[in-house]
C-alpha cells in the first residue's frame, strides 16, 4: 500500500541529513597533543593564564580521577572509551583574546550565523527590544565572544567566560567552584575538574533581577576532541536570572565525548531558571558516530526560600547520561525539573533528576516526558529523598513515556528515600504508544502521518514547553518534530 | 459518485470482502444492513484506506478516480469522510486543536487558504451548538473520557466542519439515546444538499425513519446480496437475515 511504501522510504532516508547542524567549519586550530597526563593538565591551565591554586586544584582532580572507575549502572551500552585518543584542548588560532567581534575569525562568526545564533548586538537590537538575549559563544575549548557585557555590567551582573572569570574575579570563582559538585563526585565530573577548558560564569548581585536572558551556545567543531565545559552561576540574595544553553556538533563517524559540569548556587530568596536545548549530533540511523553526553548538573538552594528550576529539551547525542539535580538546603526552598527527552534511531538516554530535601518545608516538582522512536532506548532515573530534618518536605513527580513504533523502549526507575515521617512524596507514571489506529484516525481527517505524530507529540509535551522562555519554546517545538521525522511506521 | 466494483479483500489470510459491487450516486443516501461480521466495517475501512487490509481484486472509484492508490489523508482531502464505529481517543490533543489541524490540513491539500481564527471559531461553535455539544468539551482531549454517545456526536461535528463529498457513517446510531439520535439525524439531514452522498451502515431500521435512505443494501459474507428501496429495511426488521445468510453461502 502506498502509505506503507512511503513510510519505508522515509525511514530509509532518516539519517544524517535530518541533522541540520552537521557542517564542519574550517579554522586553523591550536590543538593539544592527544592523550591525558599531568603535563596536559598543566598546559591547559597555563594556556588560560590561571592562578596557581587553580593549577593545583586541577592536578589534584587528575590524580583522583586516575584512581576512579567509569560508572556502569546506567542503562546504556557503548564500547570502552580510550581517554588517550582525545585532544583535551582545541582553540581557534586567531582567537587570542579578541577584544571585539572584528578580531574573531570570520569563519567562526559564519558558523554561528549558520546556526542562527546572533553574535552582533546591533543585529539583536534590530529585533524586538524585549526579546534580547545575551550570548556567550563557546567554540570547542574556548569562549569566542560574549555579547551585551557592558549593559549587563551596568546592572552589576557579571556574565563572561570561565577563563575570564578566573582572571578577573578569581576570589568569586574560588569561593564557589566545586562547592556544589565536589571534585570527586563522579568519574566524569572529576575528569572535568582536571581538564575543563571553558564555559560560562554568571554572578547576579543582591536584589538584582537580571535585565535579559543569558545564554551560552556550545559548539564542538574539531574532531577527536572532547568538550569539557564548566559553568558556574551564583544568584545572591533576592536576585533572579534565567539562563539558557544550546549545543550542536558536526556529523562525524567517530563518537565524541562531552563531559560538562554545571553548578548553580541560589542564596536567600534568589531564583535561577536554567534551560537547556540539547541538540548534539545524535549519530546516524545505524548508531554510528554521535556525541556521548555525560554531564553533571546540580543546583544548590543554599538560601532560605530560594528556587532553582531546570528545564531541558533533549533531542541530540548518541548517549545521554545526565541528572540535573537540586539540593534543597535552605528552609522553604524549591526545586523543579521539567524535561522532554526525545530519542530516535539508535540513541540511548539515561536521564532524570535528584531532589534532595534537607531543609524544612522544602518542595519539589518533577515533570519528565520521554518520547522514544526508532530503535532508541530511554530510561528515566529519578531520586527523591528527605533527610531527617526535612520536616514537611513535599514532592510531586509525574513521569510519562510515549512510544512511537515497536522497536523502541522506555523505562522508569524511581528511587524514593524518606527519613522524615512528615514528608509526602507523590509519584505518577504512564506509558503510552501512538497506535496505528490513532494515526489512521488522524489521517482519515486529512492529516499526514507526520502531522498526526507531531500533533500527538506536541500534546504530550506541552506542559513542559510552557516552562521554556518564550523565545525558545517555538524553536524547541520545531526541534522535536525534526528529531522525529521519519519515525512513523 | 462512488463506484465499488468486484472488491475482494483479505486480512491475515482471512477473506472478508468477496466480490462486492455497489454504486452510490451523487446526492444519494444508501443504507447498508447486514449481520454482525458480514464485512460492513471492513468495507468502510477499505474505502478510507486503512493499511492492514489487502485488496486482492476490484476497484473503488470516487468521481472516476481510483482511490485505492491514494493515502488515507489524500482520500480525506478528496472528500471521503468516515464516521468511525469506534472513534479513537487522542490524549493530550484538545478537540479544538485537532479540529483546527484537520481543517487546516484539508484546506491546504485542496489549495484553499487557511481560515481566519475568528471564522474558524464561529464555525466550530455554530456546529457544536446544533449538535448539543457543550463548549468546554472542545477543550478536552479528543474523545478522551467521552461517553459512547458523545463520541458519536463528535464524529458528526467533524463531518459537518470538514464538508466532505462522501460520508460513511458506521453505526453512528449505536449507543445514542433517543434524543441524541434525533439530534444526530438532524445534523446529517442538514448536510443533505442533493450533491453530497452518504453510505449509512446500521443495524436498526429506526435510524432510517429519521435519515430516509434512497436505497437499502443487504450485505452478507462480504458481498451485497440484495438491494432495494427503503421498504427493504422494514422487511429485514420483520424477518431477520436468515434468508440472506443461506443465499450468500
Ligand atoms: N484483523 C483481523 N483479523 C482477522 N479477522 C478480522 C480482522 N478484522 C476483522 N476481521 C473479521 O472480519 C469480519 C468482518 O468484520 P467487520 O468488522 O467488517 O464486520 P461488521 O459487518 O462491521 O460487523 P458488526 O456488525 O459487528 O460491526 C469479522 O468476522 C471479523 O472478525
Ligand atoms: Mg462494524
Amino acid at each position: 500500500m502506498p502509505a506503507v511504501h512511503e513510510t519505508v522510504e522515509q525511514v530509509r532516508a532518516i539519517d544524517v541529513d535530518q541533522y541540520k547542524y552537521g557542517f564542519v567549519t574550517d579554522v586553523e586550530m591550536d590543538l593539544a597533543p592527544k592523550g591525558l597526563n599531568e603535563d596536559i593538565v598543566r598546559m591547559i591551565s597555563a594556556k588560560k593564564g590561571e592562578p596557581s591554586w587553580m593549577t593545583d586544584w586541577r592536578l589534584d582532580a587528575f590524580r583522583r580521577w586516575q584512581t576512579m572507575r567509569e560508572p556502569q549502572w546506567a542503562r546504556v551500552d557503548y564500547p570502552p572509551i580510550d581517554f588517550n585518543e582525545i585532544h583535551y584542548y582545541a582553540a581557534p588560532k586567531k582567537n587570542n583574546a579578541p577584544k571585539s567581534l572584528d578580531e574573531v575569525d570570520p569563519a567562526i562568526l559564519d558558523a554561528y550565523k549558520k546556526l542562527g545564533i546572533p553574535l552582533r548586538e546591533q543585529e539583536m537590537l534590530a529585533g524586538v527590544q524585549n526579546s534580547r538575549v545575551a550570548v556567550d559563544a563557546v567554540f570547542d575549548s574556548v569562549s569566542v565572544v560574549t555579547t551585551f557585557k557592558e549593559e549587563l555590567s551596568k546592572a552589576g551582573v557579571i556574565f563572561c567566560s570561565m577563563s575570564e572569570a578566573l582572571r578577573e574575579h578569581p576570589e568569586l570563582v574560588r569561593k564557589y567552584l566545586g562547592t556544589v559538585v565536589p571534585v570527586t563526585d563522579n568519574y566524569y565530573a572529576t575528569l572535568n575538574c582536571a581538564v575543563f577548558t571553558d564555559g560560562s560564569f554568571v554572578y547576579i548581585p543582591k536584589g538584582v533581577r537580571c535585565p535579559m536572558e543569558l545564554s551560552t551556545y556550545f559548539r564542538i567543531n574539531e574532531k577527536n576532541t572532547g568538550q569539557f565545559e564548566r559553568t558556574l552561576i551564583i544568584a545572591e540574595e533576592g536576585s533572579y536570572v534565567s539562563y539558557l544553553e544550546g549545543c550542536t556538533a558536526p556529523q562525524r563517524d567517530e563518537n565524541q565525548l562531552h563531559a560538562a559540569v554545571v553548578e548553580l548556587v541560589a542564596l536567600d530568596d534568589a531564583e535561577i531558571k536554567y534551560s537547556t536545548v540539547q541538540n548534539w549530533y545524535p549519530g546516524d540511523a545505524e548508531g554510528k558516530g554521535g556525541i556521548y553526553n555525560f554531564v553533571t548538573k546540580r543546583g544548590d538552594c543554599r538560601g532560605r526560600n530560594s528556587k532553582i528550576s531546570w528545564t531541558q529539551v533533549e533531542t541530540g547525542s548518541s548517549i545521554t547520561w545526565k541528572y540535573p539535580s537540586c539540593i534543597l538546603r535552605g528552609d522553604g526552598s524549591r526545586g523543579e525539573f521539567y524535561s522532554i527527552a526525545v530519542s530516535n534511531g539508535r540513541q540511548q538516554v539515561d536521564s532524570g533528576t535528584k531532589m534532595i530535601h534537607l531543609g524544612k518545608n522544602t518542595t519539589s516538582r518533577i515533570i519528565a516526558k520521554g518520547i522514544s522512536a526508532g530503535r532508541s532506548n530511554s530510561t528515566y532515573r529519578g531520586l527523591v529523598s528527605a533527610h531527617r530534618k526535612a520536616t514537611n518536605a513535599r514532592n510531586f513527580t509525574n513521569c510519562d513515556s510515549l512510544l512511537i513504533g515497536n522497536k523502541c523502549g522506555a523505562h522508569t526507575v524511581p528511587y524514593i528515600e524518606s527519613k522524615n515521617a512528615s514528608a509526602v512524596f507523590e509519584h505518577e507514571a504512564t506509558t503510552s504508544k501512538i497506535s496505528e489506529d490513532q494515526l489512521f484516525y488522524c489521517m482519515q481527517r486529512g492529516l499526514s502521518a507526520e502531522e498526526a505524530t507531531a500533533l500527538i507529540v506536541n500534546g504530550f509535551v506541552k506542559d513542559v514547553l510552557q516552562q521554556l522562555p518564550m523565545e525558545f519554546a517555538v524553536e524547541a517545538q520545531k526541534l522535536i518534530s525534526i528529531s522525529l521525522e521519519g519515525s512513523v511506521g | 459518485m462512488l463506484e465499488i466494483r468486484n472488491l475482494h479483500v483479505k486480512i491475515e489470510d482471512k477473506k472478508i470482502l468477496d466480490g462486492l459491487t455497489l454504486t452510490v450516486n451523487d446526492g444519494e443516501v444508501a443504507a447498508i444492513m447486514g449481520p454482525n461480521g458480514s464485512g460492513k466495517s471492513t468495507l468502510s475501512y477499505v474505502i478510507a484506506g486503512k493499511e492492514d487490509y489487502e485488496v486482492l481484486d476490484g476497484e473503488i472509484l470516487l468521481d472516476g478516480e481510483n482511490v485505492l492508490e491514494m493515502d488515507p489523508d489524500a482520500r480525506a482531502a478528496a472528500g471521503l469522510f468516515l464516521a468511525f464505529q469506534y472513534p479513537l481517543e487522542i490524549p493530550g490533543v484538545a478537540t479544538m486543536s485537532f479540529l483546527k489541524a484537520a481543517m487546516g490540513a484539508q484546506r491546504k491539500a485542496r489549495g484553499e487558504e487557511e481560515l481566519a481564527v475568528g471564522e474558524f471559531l464561529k464555525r466550530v461553535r455554530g456546529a457544536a451548538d446544533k449538535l448539543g455539544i457543550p463548549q468546554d468539551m472542545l477543550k478536552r482531549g479528543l474523545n478522551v473520557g467521552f461517553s459512547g454517545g458523545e463520541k458519536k456526536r463528535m464524529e458528526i461535528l467533524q463531518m459537518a466542519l470538514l464538508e466532505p463529498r462522501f460520508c460513511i457513517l458506521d453505526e453512528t446510531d449505536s449507543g445514542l439515546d433517543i434524543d441524541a439520535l434525533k439530534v444526530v439525524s438532524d445534523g446529517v439531514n442538514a448536510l443533505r444538499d442533493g450533491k453530497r452522498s452518504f453510505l449509512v451502515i446500521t443495524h436498526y431500521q429506526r435510524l432510517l425513519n429519521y435519515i430516509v435512505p434512497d436505497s437499502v443494501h443487504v450485505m452478507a459474507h462480504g458481498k451485497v446480496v440484495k438491494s432495494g428501496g427503503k421498504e427493504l429495511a422494514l422487511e429485514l426488521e420483520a424477518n431477520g437475515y436468515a434468508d440472506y445468510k443461506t443465499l450468500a453461502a
Side-chain angles (χ1 to χ4, degrees):
Chain A
M1 284 217 158
V4 182
H5 181 71
E6 198 173 300
T7 305
V8 171
E9 286 301 307
Q10 269 168 3
V11 172
R12 276 206 199 105
I14 180 181
D15 196 11
V16 285
D17 28 316
Q18 298 282 345
Y19 189 74
K20 291 199 303 189
Y21 310 100
F23 62 89
V24 178
T25 306
D26 202 6
V27 251
E28 254 190 281
M29 297 297 278
D30 179 9
L31 270 182
K34 276 185 187 175
L36 187 53
N37 52 51
E38 292 200 4
D39 287 341
I40 292 282
V41 174
R42 280 198 186 89
M43 185 209 103
I44 293 170
S45 194
K47 283 258 179 215
K48 308 213 148 268
E50 289 176 354
S52 65
W53 63 264
M54 193 62 218
T55 315
D56 294 340
W57 195 80
R58 287 177 179 276
L59 285 169
D60 176 53
F62 176 68
R63 287 169 199 141
R64 288 170 187 247
W65 179 73
Q66 285 177 304
T67 69
M68 296 169 82
R69 283 165 168 269
E70 266 187 87
Q72 300 291 339
W73 44 262
R75 194 190 280 260
V76 293
D77 191 26
Y78 56 96
I81 299 173
D82 185 346
F83 288 91
N84 279 318
E85 274 302 304
I86 298 174
H87 294 286
Y88 288 83
Y89 184 83
K93 269 197 179 144
K94 290 191 199 151
N95 195 63
N96 230 328
K99 289 196 184 57
S100 79
L101 270 185
D102 304 330
E103 293 175 28
V104 177
D105 188 331
I108 294 174
L109 294 180
D110 201 46
Y112 283 93
K113 201 166 192 176
K114 271 198 213 166
L115 296 167
I117 313 297
L119 296 183
R120 293 189 183 275
E121 295 180 10
Q122 308 90 290
E123 282 166 20
M124 299 202 65
L125 287 165
V128 188
Q129 268 291 332
N130 52 15
S131 70
R132 286 176 315 160
V133 179
V135 180
D136 182 23
V138 177
F139 195 84
D140 287 326
S141 301
V142 294
S143 166
V144 286
V145 67
T146 309
T147 61
F148 289 107
K149 269 165 81 167
E150 260 171 58
E151 194 170 335
L152 287 167
S153 76
K154 274 184 211 143
V157 171
I158 302 172
F159 178 42
C160 62
S161 70
M162 199 61 174
S163 315
E164 187 179 331
L166 274 161
R167 289 193 304 268
E168 308 288 327
H169 312 280
E171 68 303 332
L172 273 177
V173 177
R174 193 171 191 178
K175 183 169 172 193
Y176 290 103
L177 189 73
T179 64
V180 183
V181 177
V183 171
T184 52
D185 190 78
N186 69 73
Y187 189 78
Y188 301 110
T190 308
L191 176 63
N192 175 286
C193 291
V195 299
F196 79 80
T197 42
D198 221 332
S200 298
F201 176 80
V202 176
Y203 176 82
I204 316 288
K206 188 170 165 178
V208 169
R209 205 183 155 83
C210 186
M212 61 183 89
E213 294 277 337
L214 304 183
S215 95
T216 302
Y217 196 89
F218 296 102
R219 173 75 178 168
I220 297 180
N221 187 59
E222 191 60 33
K223 62 170 181 279
N224 294 320
T225 54
Q227 187 165 20
F228 304 92
E229 87 265 356
R230 184 104 194 172
T231 295
L232 176 58
I233 300 179
I234 301 141
E236 287 277 11
E237 200 179 319
S239 67
Y240 170 84
V241 61
S242 169
Y243 176 94
L244 182 126
E245 61 170 358
C247 15
T248 58
Q251 294 159 9
R252 297 192 185 280
D253 286 348
E254 71 272 14
N255 297 104
Q256 278 179 286
L257 178 61
H258 170 254
V261 172
V262 174
E263 297 179 281
L264 313 182
V265 179
L267 299 170
D268 287 358
D269 301 304
E271 178 174 349
I272 301 174
K273 191 174 160 63
Y274 192 106
S275 310
T276 303
V277 176
Q278 187 264 112
N279 187 23
W280 295 118
Y281 177 53
D284 70 7
E286 297 310 313
K288 200 167 175 47
I291 302 292
Y292 292 162
N293 191 32
F294 299 157
V295 167
T296 306
K297 294 183 166 176
R298 197 169 302 156
D300 189 353
C301 286
R302 209 166 277 184
R304 271 182 304 106
N305 301 323
S306 55
K307 179 175 167 187
I308 288 178
S309 131
W310 299 100
T311 302
Q312 56 175 31
V313 177
E314 306 263 328
T315 58
S317 301
S318 63
I319 300 177
T320 300
W321 180 96
K322 101 177 236 205
Y323 315 89
S325 307
C326 296
I327 301 166
L328 304 170
R329 197 185 306 276
D331 290 347
S333 59
R334 179 170 177 82
E336 291 175 347
F337 176 76
Y338 300 100
S339 168
I340 298 171
V342 181
S343 56
N344 199 353
R346 301 259 176 177
Q347 283 175 282
Q348 306 176 55
V349 179
D350 193 301
S351 181
T353 184
K354 288 189 270 185
M355 293 291 172
I356 315 289
H357 293 257
L358 302 178
K360 294 187 188 67
N361 303 316
T362 47
T363 56
S364 60
R365 182 177 163 88
I366 298 170
I367 309 283
K369 306 270 180 182
I371 301 161
S372 315
R375 293 171 177 271
S376 67
N377 245 301
S378 182
T379 300
Y380 168 82
R381 191 182 299 278
L383 166 70
V384 180
S385 77
H387 283 236
R388 219 163 29 79
K389 291 180 184 155
T391 312
N392 291 325
R394 295 282 180 276
N395 166 267
F396 173 77
T397 298
N398 174 269
C399 181
D400 297 328
S401 310
L402 183 68
L403 303 173
I404 302 176
N406 295 320
K407 291 180 182 130
C408 51
H411 318 274
T412 303
V413 191
Y415 304 90
I416 293 173
E417 297 168 3
S418 178
K419 298 208 175 88
N420 186 307
S422 65
V424 180
F425 294 162
E426 286 174 76
H427 181 95
E428 286 174 4
T430 65
T431 299
S432 51
K433 186 172 176 313
I434 300 185
S435 69
E436 294 287 325
D437 286 349
Q438 282 173 322
L439 284 178
F440 172 62
Y441 184 83
C442 295
M443 291 178 81
Q444 208 304 300
R445 301 303 188 245
L447 299 167
S448 68
E450 309 258 287
E451 287 168 334
T453 306
L455 188 71
I456 296 172
V457 167
N458 283 340
F460 181 73
V461 300
K462 63 173 184 271
D463 304 355
V464 175
L465 279 186
Q466 281 164 4
Q467 299 297 329
L468 279 178
M470 262 272 284
E471 298 88 332
F472 302 105
V474 179
E475 279 306 306
Q477 196 164 8
K478 268 193 231 150
L479 194 59
I480 293 168
S481 39
I482 291 170
S483 306
L484 289 173
E485 258 169 40
S487 65
V488 187
Chain B
M1 185 168 72
L2 186 81
E3 298 164 271
I4 304 169
R5 294 194 195 132
N6 189 33
L7 192 62
H8 292 261
V9 169
K10 73 168 189 179
I11 184 164
E12 289 165 21
D13 293 330
K14 190 177 168 193
K15 187 99 186 259
I16 300 178
L17 299 185
D18 192 17
L20 183 137
T21 296
L22 177 72
T23 299
V24 184
N25 289 308
D26 285 352
E28 181 177 345
V29 175
I32 292 197
M33 305 183 80
N36 295 131
S38 55
K40 302 182 297 297
S41 293
T42 302
L43 173 63
S44 66
Y45 286 146
V46 173
I47 297 173
K50 196 164 193 245
E51 275 189 3
D52 321 333
Y53 301 93
E54 190 181 340
V55 177
L56 303 168
D57 198 6
E59 54 188 7
I60 303 178
L61 307 175
L62 179 67
D63 298 330
E65 216 187 328
N66 186 359
V67 302
L68 290 175
E69 280 167 9
M70 295 155 75
D71 285 340
D73 48 335
R75 298 186 200 197
L80 275 175
F81 182 91
L82 168 61
F84 283 61
Q85 183 173 2
Y86 305 106
L88 276 291
E89 300 190 359
I90 315 281
V93 180
T95 303
M96 198 61 116
S97 316
F98 184 81
L99 294 173
K100 185 140 201 315
M103 286 170 76
Q106 292 209 15
R107 294 183 74 89
K108 197 170 122 195
R110 298 192 201 118
E112 295 164 11
E113 232 171 88
E114 206 184 337
L115 282 182
V117 178
E119 174 62 18
F120 164 76
L121 289 174
K122 204 173 99 192
R123 288 195 193 183
V124 173
R125 292 199 178 120
D129 281 349
K130 278 195 199 133
L131 289 164
I133 295 170
Q135 296 297 322
D136 56 348
M137 217 160 118
L138 300 172
K139 293 182 196 144
R140 287 164 57 185
L142 180 65
N143 291 328
V144 178
F146 289 13
S147 75
E150 288 168 343
K151 287 182 184 169
K152 296 298 176 74
R153 285 185 209 210
M154 200 51 80
E155 295 293 284
I156 303 304
L157 174 68
Q158 294 180 48
M159 187 168 98
L161 291 169
L162 292 169
E163 303 177 315
R165 304 225 338 68
F166 194 95
C167 311
I168 307 165
L169 284 79
D170 191 358
E171 294 196 30
T172 301
D173 54 333
S174 308
L176 290 182
D177 64 40
I178 297 165
D179 296 339
L181 183 66
K182 181 127 192 0
V183 170
V184 165
S185 304
D186 287 347
V188 173
N189 287 328
L191 294 172
R192 289 176 78 163
D193 60 359
K195 277 194 258 148
R196 184 171 286 133
S197 318
F198 295 83
L199 190 62
V200 180
I201 299 169
T202 183
H203 285 296
Y204 305 106
Q205 127 73 22
R206 195 186 53 193
L207 174 71
L208 306 179
N209 289 335
Y210 294 106
I211 304 173
V212 182
D214 300 303
S215 59
V216 174
H217 307 270
V218 181
M219 225 178 124
H221 300 290
K223 58 183 122 187
V224 173
V225 293
K226 176 149 181 141
S227 301
K230 63 176 188 256
E231 55 312 321
L232 181 56
L234 291 166
E235 192 188 308
L236 289 170
E237 181 107 317
N239 304 332
Y241 295 113
D243 297 348
Y244 302 109
K245 282 186 182 163
T246 47
L247 209 141

